[in-house]
Amino acid sequence: LCDLANSGIKIMSHPNVQRRMGAKDALVKIKNLHCGLPDTEVYYTAECFREGFRKSIAFRPRVLKQNRGSQGEGIWICKLCSEEYCSRYGDRMADVDEMLELMEANDNHVEYHTVGEFLEFCVNGRTDKSGDWKSSGRGLYLEGGVDNGAMLVDQRFLPRIVEGEVRCLMVGPKMVSIVHKVPKAGGLSATLQSGAKYTHYEPDDDKFASLVNNFQADLPNIMASFGLSNEPLPLLWTADYIVDDDPDEEGKDKFYIGEFNCACVGITQQLNYSGIVAETAVGTCVEKMNG
C-alpha cells in the first residue's frame, strides 16, 4: 500500500496512519494535548532509558510498556518501595540501589528488584546483573533497535485504572459510542474474557461530558501530532481513557488516553453503525480524490 501511495494512487487510509497511531509512542506524541500526560516519555536507546526511567520513577509510579509482545507481556507497573517521590518531575534521579515493586500486566504477578536490576533486565535480559526473575518474558525490550520497532514507553501510573477504562468508539471524526469497561473485582484487565463488565453510553451522556468536550477540542490536532496532517482520521478507531486521581478545577474527573486502536476495530455486534461507516468511507474517498 505504501508503494501504491508513493506512486500517486489514492489510498483511503494510508498505512502510516495505522503504524503511527497504533505504536506505543503515540502516547508521547499527544502528551501536549488535553488527552495526554505531559510527563510521558519514550526510549529508543539503552542510554536514554537508563537516564529517563530513573528520573520518572523518582517522581511518580510508572507504567513501562514495550512496543512488542501481547496480552500484557512486558508491560510493568513500577513503584518505589520507599514511596519517597519528589514533588516535581525532574527534581531527582532514583538511585540504582533503590528497590522497586513491579507487577507485570500479563498475569499480575509481583516481584521486587533494584532499579539497576530492572534496567538490566529490560535492556540485556537475564544476566548476572539482573537477578532472578519470575516473569515468563525475556526482557531485551530494545533488542533490534528502533528500525525493528523496539522502544519503551514510560507513562505515569494512574491508580484509578481499577475503576476501568472508558473507550470512545469513533467513525472518522464522529464519536458514536462510549463504553465503560470495568475490571472484575481485584483485577486490572478490562477484557470480556477476564470477566470485565461493559456499560454502554451515548456520546452526549453527562457522565462523560468533560471527556467528550476535551476530546472534541483535540480532534483537529491529533493527526498533526503524528506528522499526518494531510491524512484523514481512520475510518474505525478507538481511544481508551483512564481517569486521573486529581480532579480538574471544577472538581470533575480528568481523563487521559492510555491507548489508540485503529488496526483491528470490529463492529460485528453494532451493525446499526453500518450506515455511518459507509457514509464516512464514501466521503473520505471523495475528499481524497478531489484533494
Side-chain angles (χ1 to χ4, degrees), residues 1 13-23 228 234 262-264:
L1 286 177
S13 184
H14 195 283
N16 283 340
V17 174
Q18 289 188 13
R19 287 175 178 168
R20 297 183 192 180
M21 287 190 74
L228 297 167
C262 61
C264 54

Side-chain angles (χ1 to χ4, degrees), residues 62-73:
R62 312 299 295 179
V63 180
L64 196 73
K65 308 177 183 182
Q66 69 156 324
N67 195 41
R68 298 175 294 211
S70 61
Q71 303 299 316
E73 190 268 318

Side-chain angles (χ1 to χ4, degrees), residues 65-266:
K65 308 177 183 182
Q66 69 156 324
N67 195 41
R68 298 175 294 211
S70 61
Q71 303 299 316
E73 190 268 318
I75 297 178
W76 294 93
I77 298 170
C78 313
K79 301 178 181 179
L80 288 177
C81 291
S82 67
E83 298 186 356
E84 295 178 356
Y85 299 104
C86 60
S87 58
R88 293 186 306 175
Y89 185 57
D91 272 0
R92 82 173 185 96
M93 303 271 284
D95 190 84
V96 293
D97 293 326
E98 291 188 58
M99 290 298 300
L100 295 174
E101 177 186 291
L102 303 164
M103 185 175 76
E104 192 170 16
N106 63 332
D107 58 7
N108 293 335
H109 84 276
V110 175
E111 43 190 297
Y112 298 87
H113 293 277
T114 65
V115 170
E117 288 173 339
F118 183 57
L119 294 174
E120 177 71 9
F121 177 74
C122 291
V123 174
N124 295 317
R126 299 173 192 271
T127 71
D128 293 340
K129 296 180 180 180
S130 66
D132 296 324
W133 286 77
K134 302 174 186 176
S135 172
S136 59
R138 301 167 54 236
L140 297 166
Y141 302 134
L142 297 175
E143 186 178 44
V146 65
D147 290 342
N148 291 300
M151 69 182 74
L152 284 163
V153 169
D154 179 353
Q155 189 176 38
R156 192 190 318 165
F157 174 63
L158 300 177
R160 289 182 67 183
I161 183 64
V162 297
E163 299 175 24
E165 299 174 347
V166 179
R167 168 164 287 189
C168 299
L169 176 60
M170 306 291 298
V171 179
K174 183 175 178 60
M175 187 182 300
V176 296
S177 178
I178 295 175
V179 184
H180 190 192
K181 306 188 294 181
V182 180
K184 185 178 180 180
L188 292 176
S189 175
T191 65
L192 287 172
Q193 293 87 339
S194 68
K197 179 182 178 181
Y198 285 20
T199 303
H200 294 260
Y201 297 86
E202 293 297 320
D204 59 356
D205 195 290
D206 288 342
K207 183 179 178 69
F208 299 108
S210 62
L211 182 158
V212 172
N213 289 337
N214 284 332
F215 191 34
Q216 295 295 339
D218 281 338
L219 271 180
N221 302 310
I222 284 180
M223 298 309 290
S225 298
F226 302 123
L228 297 167
S229 55
N230 293 325
E231 290 294 327
L233 289 158
L235 178 61
L236 278 172
W237 59 291
T238 62
D240 290 345
Y241 280 83
I242 304 168
V243 65
D244 192 9
D245 279 4
D246 300 322
D248 63 19
E249 296 177 353
E250 298 178 359
K252 298 178 181 178
D253 284 338
K254 293 188 297 186
F255 297 85
Y256 295 104
I257 286 180
E259 185 176 34
F260 288 109
N261 186 354
C262 61
C264 54
V265 180

